[in-house]
Amino acid sequence: MWFVLLLLVGWTSAAVPGMANAETAKTGPVYVIPVDQKIETGLEKFMERGFKEAEKMNAGLIVLEINTPGGLVNTAQDIGKMIRESNITTVAYIRGNAASAGSYIALNADKIAMSPGSMIGAAAMVDSTGKRVDDPKLVAAWKSEMTAAAESSGRNGEIAAGMADINAVVDMPEIGEKKEKGEIIALSSEQALKVGYADTIASTPEEVVSWMGYSPGDMFLVQHTGAEKLASFLTNPVVMTILLFLGIAGIVIELIVPGFGVPGIVGVAAFVLYFFGNYVAGFAGKETWLLFIVGLILMILEMFIPSFGILGVLGAISLVAGVVRAAYDTSHAMLSLGIAFAAAAVVVIVVAIIFKERGIWNRFILSESLTKEQGYVPTASKEVLLGREGVSVTPLRPAGTAVIGQERIDVVTDGEFIARDTAIVVVRVEGARVVVKPK
């Protein structure tokens, strides 16, 4: 009799998941990876490092702590592939919003846990300005990606389609709602639990870990390194604009008013910080450094090698291309570059006016004067000959020689021929050119 009761208790424990987790605690490290920023290449690199650390330490569980407004679709797809291909069980814990591409990342996890008041969905494609993308091919491709991610973990794919496609019609009887055309699905934690888009509601990551049967004492939080934190600061749009301003102004001032050294050092340092931040964040590759260096060299050569502006234009194009390619968003990079260039132009003009005596243009202007004190005798002005009379001593065809007063003068006519020993009169004096005509 007691034996039968013990069997019934064991069977009941196995049939109730909560009791099984409570009595059969799993062992192994649990890695918590925060997904709390825009989805871009920098986040992908950070998560890739976290997954590699978890695999190296033989972790039993990875918890993605998600609170993101979304971001780049192609990056989200790469992150989703990383999650699917990992041998470690992954739980997406949505503690804020898993919006747009963030919902795609969550749907690729093995389990989804949500905190009270959190949200998943609103995944319609938008461009860099926030305007909704209406291209049917792009929308269809993104909708199929969302649907496949949901169905891979046994969830209703139509709801995922309704998160991505504004034209989809989705009936959700579990929550008594129906999505019509023109609407986008965004589920609260309670709604997600009812329609199967959340497996549990938890207030803390520790609750999620316990729910999965692991000990909260074995949790490890993957944190950003010092370089990653610095990169995050340097890639802030405001900081990027300031760095571009300092870089442009510093280098141009050093080129046109050489000798200071400080503007050039500040300019180069600002550009180095700009490219370093974007490189560490994963936005920039080695080619951006090459474009920057080539552009800088070409612009310097333009100051000393006459090329009719060709080297300067090529250098500017190379420099701008490097700056734009290094940035997370092309439109933001162009805006920052435009603001920085305008501000730098004002500063450069002011500096050029203040230090005009030291400008590089003075290298191309003859500033020395030939004075009598230095032994140079200037040519006497011939304006005094205007109106004077004389005699041609050679034929004027039309140039020749005439005697005016007691002095032999080289003269010309307006094209007419004047014979020798003809009386003439000076009608114009143009510098050293004395023009005469017959009297």
Side-chain angles (χ1 to χ4, degrees):
M1 182 67 177
W2 287 105
F3 178 73
V4 174
L5 289 175
L6 287 172
L7 286 178
L8 288 173
V9 170
W11 176 83
T12 304
S13 300
V16 181
M19 292 182 62
N21 287 342
E23 295 182 5
T24 312
K26 300 176 183 177
T27 59
V30 176
Y31 272 71
V32 179
I33 303 176
V35 185
D36 55 0
Q37 63 187 80
K38 284 187 176 181
I39 299 170
E40 30 75 8
T41 313
L43 174 65
E44 180 186 356
K45 293 187 71 173
F46 169 68
M47 292 183 63
E48 184 178 358
R49 178 170 65 83
F51 270 76
K52 286 182 178 179
E53 287 183 13
E55 291 174 2
K56 185 178 180 180
M57 299 303 294
N58 296 317
L61 179 67
I62 292 177
V63 177
L64 304 178
E65 195 172 358
I66 300 176
N67 183 21
T68 175
L72 298 178
V73 169
N74 58 341
T75 303
Q77 291 171 332
D78 292 339
I79 293 174
K81 181 180 179 182
M82 183 196 312
I83 296 171
R84 293 193 303 271
E85 292 180 349
S86 175
N87 295 322
I88 304 172
T89 301
T90 305
V91 176
Y93 173 50
I94 304 172
R95 64 173 178 82
N97 293 328
S100 190
S103 59
Y104 176 79
I105 292 176
L107 289 174
N108 278 280
D110 299 299
K111 299 286 184 180
I112 297 178
M114 298 180 68
S115 66
S118 58
M119 181 276 291
I120 182 173
M125 291 186 71
V126 296
D127 58 22
S128 59
T129 64
K131 183 180 179 181
R132 182 167 53 84
V133 175
D134 294 322
D135 188 318
K137 292 183 179 179
L138 293 177
V139 173
W142 176 233
K143 182 171 66 173
S144 65
E145 289 278 354
M146 287 285 292
T147 302
E151 293 178 344
S152 66
S153 52
R155 308 184 196 280
N156 184 351
E158 291 186 1
I159 295 178
M163 292 178 173
D165 186 4
I166 197 171
N167 294 315
V169 177
V170 181
D171 190 14
M172 296 178 286
E174 299 91 344
I175 58 175
E177 293 186 11
K178 181 178 181 180
K179 175 201 171 302
E180 303 289 353
K181 285 188 176 182
E183 299 174 347
I184 285 292
I185 294 178
L187 301 173
S188 66
S189 55
E190 292 77 10
Q191 291 174 325
L193 188 64
K194 292 178 181 178
V195 300
Y197 267 58
D199 299 297
T200 189
I201 294 179
S203 299
T204 63
E206 288 77 8
E207 288 186 22
V208 176
V209 172
S210 298
W211 169 68
M212 288 297 295
Y214 287 85
S215 170
D218 293 331
M219 291 172 57
F220 295 91
L221 177 64
V222 180
Q223 297 181 330
H224 291 275
T225 64
E228 289 170 340
K229 291 178 181 178
L230 178 59
S232 177
F233 171 75
L234 294 176
T235 53
N236 180 281
V238 176
V239 176
M240 284 174 54
T241 304
I242 294 174
L243 290 175
L244 290 175
F245 160 71
L246 292 175
I248 296 170
I251 289 177
V252 174
I253 289 174
E254 187 63 36
L255 289 176
I256 67 173
V257 189
F260 289 109
V262 175
I265 294 173
V266 171
V268 172
F271 272 122
V272 168
L273 287 174
Y274 174 86
F275 283 99
F276 170 79
N278 285 282
Y279 180 77
V280 173
F283 307 148
K286 295 180 180 179
E287 75 282 357
T288 59
W289 288 96
L290 180 62
L291 287 170
F292 166 66
I293 294 172
V294 170
L296 191 58
I297 292 174
L298 290 175
M299 293 184 73
I300 293 174
L301 290 176
E302 175 62 29
M303 305 300 296
F304 303 100
I305 300 177
S307 67
F308 304 101
I310 295 176
L311 291 176
V313 171
L314 291 176
I317 292 174
S318 180
L319 192 60
V320 171
V323 168
V324 172
R325 281 184 59 84
Y328 154 62
D329 185 271
T330 301
S331 60
H332 289 171
M334 292 299 292
L335 177 61
S336 296
L337 188 61
I339 296 172
F341 183 82
V346 174
V347 173
V348 169
I349 291 172
V350 172
V351 171
I353 293 173
I354 294 175
F355 298 98
K356 59 183 178 181
E357 300 299 331
R358 300 182 59 173
I360 194 171
W361 46 83
N362 289 314
R363 297 183 181 182
F364 309 102
I365 300 174
L366 182 62
S367 58
E368 294 184 358
S369 59
L370 307 179
T371 64
K372 292 181 179 180
E373 289 75 12
Q374 294 175 313
Y376 297 100
V377 179
T379 302
S381 173
K382 296 184 178 181
E383 293 289 339
V384 296
L385 299 177
L386 185 61
R388 303 249 327 247
E389 298 178 358
V391 178
S392 60
V393 294
T394 66
L396 306 182
R397 302 190 177 93
T401 306
V403 174
I404 302 174
Q406 301 299 319
E407 186 179 0
R408 291 172 66 91
I409 305 294
D410 292 328
V411 298
V412 296
T413 69
D414 280 326
E416 61 184 312
F417 173 78
I418 298 178
R420 180 180 177 182
D421 297 327
T422 303
I424 52 94
V425 61
V426 178
V427 293
R428 288 196 313 277
V429 177
E430 300 171 344
R433 188 168 177 266
V434 180
V435 184
V436 300
K437 71 175 183 177
K439 181 178 176 183

